Amino acid sequence: MIKLRIKAGDGKKTALAAVAVFHFEDADQPGAMSVRLDGETGGMLNRLHQLNDFTGRLNETALLYPAADRDIKRIIVVGLGKKEKFDRDKLRGAAAKVAQTAREHKLRELVLALEAGYLDMDWADAAAAAAEGAVLGLYRFREYKTRNEDNGPDVETLTILLPERRHLKAVRKAVLGTEKICRGVYQARNLVSMPSNELTPSRLGDEALKLAKSRRGIEAKVIGSREMRRLGMNALLGVARGSREEPKFIILEYRGAAVSMRPLVLVGKAITFDSGGISLKPAEKMDEMKTDMAGGAAVLAAIGAAADLELPLNLVGLIPATENLPGGRAYKPGDILRTMSGQTVEVLNTDAEGRLILADALHYAQRYQPAAILDIATLTGACVVALGEQVAGMVGTDPEVKEIIRKAAEQTGELVWELPLWENYQEMIKSDIADIKNSAGRFGGAITAAAFLSRFTGSVPWVHLDIAGPAWLTKDRPYQPKGATGIGVRLFIQFFMNWLEAH
Ligand code: BES
Ligand code: MN
Ligand code: ZN
């Protein structure tokens, strides 16, 4: 990950490979940093605008080369679009664009000249958003590229340059926090990017143990199939039957507050590969089903980041992990599974496996007497149909928790939209022969899946996030290169912070 530095001053008297400044499309005045750079480079920025070569459209860039005798070797100008449409997320994207431009030019270091007043933002917020965008925009997954030319040089340091020392302390603190959160996002993206032959349930369990070992305040436990049988986790075991890989039930506990404080329990779906099982998926895009553990990855990474941030709360992460494969011992359509809660489930479709493994995890969560349960899962294609690829679906029983999530979503740019959970949906999942069935057909599929989950949450405030769309992108977005997004990590951390503020 790129190193982040914060400095105050004019950046003079040091040789600077590249300095980046922002510019609004409709600004009548350039920012103070632009004016300063303009002065130092003999009016280059002014010329750029006079010639109309740059209008400031969102993420438009221009690269300028000051005369050889100047300290600054390059200036990167980036557009922020129209001022009235500007927000934190646009700043993240613009900062990512700056960082990517620097990488394209094989630059090792980059200075970002920041002016919060010009952006109408708090200094700490602006610096954090810019740093976050740059770091996340530079992510790439090169683990399996062995040729050097595919691994070209990377930007090594990003220095955020503030005009005065006054805000240095607050900005340092904010950016340090951002760095920890981004580390979590990188970890989640790496786990999701890993192929399923490497990231097996056992390997995911090892990652959890490693996380606990390397951090204060976290304990991890990985339960295998024998103990699962003892606990009665027959839904999880049922899904795992078709696979030669042993299923794992991963438990992470973070203690950041007094024991008396009820924990928040996070539950993350981790199907390390979802073939659909006997109800086999079509071959096209089946490779993408290695990402069906993105919920589990988000939980693991968010707990790591929360510990790094030393957040004063108690957290539990529960990650049911298995493959979903067909085979001679696989569970079949028509089978009935007795879940850990005692409720029976008729399996109508073995591809609706996520809700089964979550059922046992949600029931297990009750033993912590949680203040709230949040689950996150790449649960339904129906959610992608309803909301599109970029938005997570939210269903839940607790207005307060939902409101805190909504706020966190707005702050982080990880978009969330609520779907209803009315009584009629509960009717739709009733089975003729067992208590409930695991598939209610295509209509309202995201909601009937959530209705299924709600049967296992007891009376604990609960919110479910369906990330089937936003977990994986097939096209680049401003600060999310295509592939794994690490969605959920930033959302959870922001949720924790908002939760702490409210309690
Ligand atoms: N993992 C899939 C959902 C999914 C689809 C995630 C596309 C990411 C992208 C889930 O296990 C699944 O297969 N759901 C079925 C449920 C149906 C059989 C009731 C679906 O959405 O088709
Ligand atoms: Mn499935
Ligand atoms: Zn699945």
Side-chain angles (χ1 to χ4, degrees), residues 28-49:
D28 30 349
Q29 293 291 323
M33 281 290 198
S34 298
V35 172
R36 190 188 283 175
L37 277 177
D38 198 44
E40 279 166 35
T41 58
M44 287 197 82
L45 287 172
N46 202 12
R47 294 263 306 143
L48 179 70
H49 293 296

Side-chain angles (χ1 to χ4, degrees), residues 257-483:
V259 201
S260 58
M261 199 159 144
R262 286 171 181 245
L264 295 168
V265 177
L266 309 179
V267 177
K269 171 180 173 182
I271 295 290
T272 58
F273 188 75
D274 183 12
S275 72
I278 296 293
S279 313
L280 195 63
K281 287 180 182 295
E284 199 189 336
K285 289 201 185 175
M286 202 203 268
D287 57 291
E288 283 181 17
M289 282 302 119
K290 70 172 183 180
T291 68
D292 210 18
M293 33 57 69
V299 167
L300 190 151
I303 287 183
D308 286 345
L309 291 163
E310 297 178 48
L311 295 184
L313 38 74
N314 296 327
L315 299 172
V316 176
L318 302 177
I319 307 173
T322 176
E323 295 184 319
N324 183 24
L325 295 181
R329 296 181 62 84
Y331 80 136
K332 303 171 291 299
D335 285 1
I336 294 177
L337 302 174
R338 194 176 297 274
T339 64
M340 188 181 177
S341 75
Q343 296 176 87
T344 53
V345 180
E346 182 185 13
V347 177
L348 290 185
N349 190 322
T350 63
D351 197 13
E353 84 297 337
R355 65 200 75 183
L356 295 172
I357 68 168
L358 290 171
D360 281 344
L362 289 168
H363 180 77
Y364 187 92
Q366 312 293 316
R367 67 167 62 187
Y368 291 96
Q369 295 182 303
I373 303 176
L374 300 171
D375 81 71
I376 182 162
T378 46
L379 201 63
T380 66
C383 193
V384 193
V385 173
L387 299 176
E389 271 194 310
Q390 297 175 13
V391 180
M394 172 168 77
V395 176
T397 52
D398 192 80
E400 191 210 352
V401 180
K402 283 190 283 196
E403 193 49 44
I404 300 180
I405 287 277
R406 256 193 292 272
K407 191 170 163 218
E410 212 166 277
Q411 289 162 298
T412 57
E414 298 200 321
L415 304 176
V416 168
W417 194 255
E418 187 182 4
L419 301 169
L421 184 63
W422 293 307
E423 292 269 332
N424 59 310
Y425 296 106
Q426 301 291 351
E427 290 298 315
M428 291 168 73
I429 58 168
K430 286 192 174 145
S431 161
D432 292 338
I433 177 170
D435 296 333
I436 46 178
K437 55 190 180 187
N438 81 329
S439 169
R442 283 177 38 208
F443 298 148
I447 304 172
T448 51
F452 184 100
L453 298 182
S454 76
R455 297 290 190 119
F456 301 90
T457 59
S459 55
V460 181
W462 159 76
V463 169
H464 155 68
L465 297 167
D466 192 332
I467 54 166
W472 181 262
L473 297 181
T474 47
K475 265 199 223 118
D476 287 337
R477 296 197 61 213
Y479 57 94
Q480 292 174 323
K482 72 177 175 192

Side-chain angles (χ1 to χ4, degrees), residues 70-351:
R70 309 285 163 156
D71 292 329
I72 298 168
K73 300 304 162 208
R74 301 170 190 82
I75 298 177
I76 304 173
V77 197
V78 183
L80 293 176
K82 293 224 161 49
K83 204 156 188 174
E84 62 178 45
K85 285 197 171 172
F86 179 74
D87 60 20
R88 246 194 252 211
D89 218 48
K90 301 254 165 61
L91 181 56
R92 290 188 190 104
K97 184 73 192 187
V98 165
Q100 288 156 358
T101 304
R103 174 194 274 159
E104 275 161 31
H105 289 84
K106 302 195 165 35
L107 306 181
R108 297 296 174 93
E109 47 170 6
L110 173 66
V111 174
L112 190 62
L114 197 67
E115 34 199 342
Y118 178 68
L119 301 171
D120 265 334
M121 281 175 89
D122 180 52
W123 282 93
D125 279 354
E132 187 170 62
V135 173
L136 297 182
L138 283 177
Y139 174 82
R140 20 180 209 184
F141 185 68
R142 303 272 99 168
E143 291 298 300
Y144 299 92
K145 290 281 190 191
T146 61
R147 288 149 48 100
N148 270 341
E149 55 264 47
D150 289 333
N151 290 322
D154 220 336
V155 192
E156 280 157 14
T157 59
L158 169 69
T159 307
I160 293 180
L161 185 65
L162 309 176
E164 345 165 25
R165 307 194 59 83
R166 203 148 51 97
H167 307 286
L168 210 54
K169 215 172 139 196
V171 165
R172 280 226 168 93
K173 187 165 170 244
V175 172
L176 206 67
T178 299
E179 202 172 1
K180 289 172 177 161
I181 296 167
C182 288
R183 223 176 273 289
V185 177
Y186 268 45
Q187 182 181 30
R189 287 181 181 178
N190 285 342
L191 289 170
V192 173
S193 302
M194 275 174 76
S196 73
N197 60 328
E198 301 238 340
L199 192 81
T200 58
S202 303
R203 173 70 188 272
L204 190 61
D206 291 345
E207 295 293 327
L209 295 172
K210 207 164 82 189
L211 184 84
K213 236 191 198 150
S214 65
R215 282 186 182 70
R216 283 223 336 256
I218 302 185
E219 292 199 34
K221 191 175 166 199
V222 179
I223 290 178
S225 51
R226 258 187 62 189
E227 196 171 349
M228 276 176 214
R229 229 165 277 133
R230 202 178 57 74
L231 287 164
M233 294 184 157
N234 299 314
L236 174 53
L237 284 164
V239 173
R241 281 181 63 93
S243 171
R244 298 286 289 260
E245 294 290 339
E246 190 189 4
K248 300 287 178 184
F249 187 72
I250 300 164
I251 303 170
L252 284 162
E253 296 177 7
Y254 165 65
R255 263 280 306 282
V259 201
S260 58
M261 199 159 144
R262 286 171 181 245
L264 295 168
V265 177
L266 309 179
V267 177
K269 171 180 173 182
I271 295 290
T272 58
F273 188 75
D274 183 12
S275 72
I278 296 293
S279 313
L280 195 63
K281 287 180 182 295
E284 199 189 336
K285 289 201 185 175
M286 202 203 268
D287 57 291
E288 283 181 17
M289 282 302 119
K290 70 172 183 180
T291 68
D292 210 18
M293 33 57 69
V299 167
L300 190 151
I303 287 183
D308 286 345
L309 291 163
E310 297 178 48
L311 295 184
L313 38 74
N314 296 327
L315 299 172
V316 176
L318 302 177
I319 307 173
T322 176
E323 295 184 319
N324 183 24
L325 295 181
R329 296 181 62 84
Y331 80 136
K332 303 171 291 299
D335 285 1
I336 294 177
L337 302 174
R338 194 176 297 274
T339 64
M340 188 181 177
S341 75
Q343 296 176 87
T344 53
V345 180
E346 182 185 13
V347 177
L348 290 185
N349 190 322
T350 63
D351 197 13

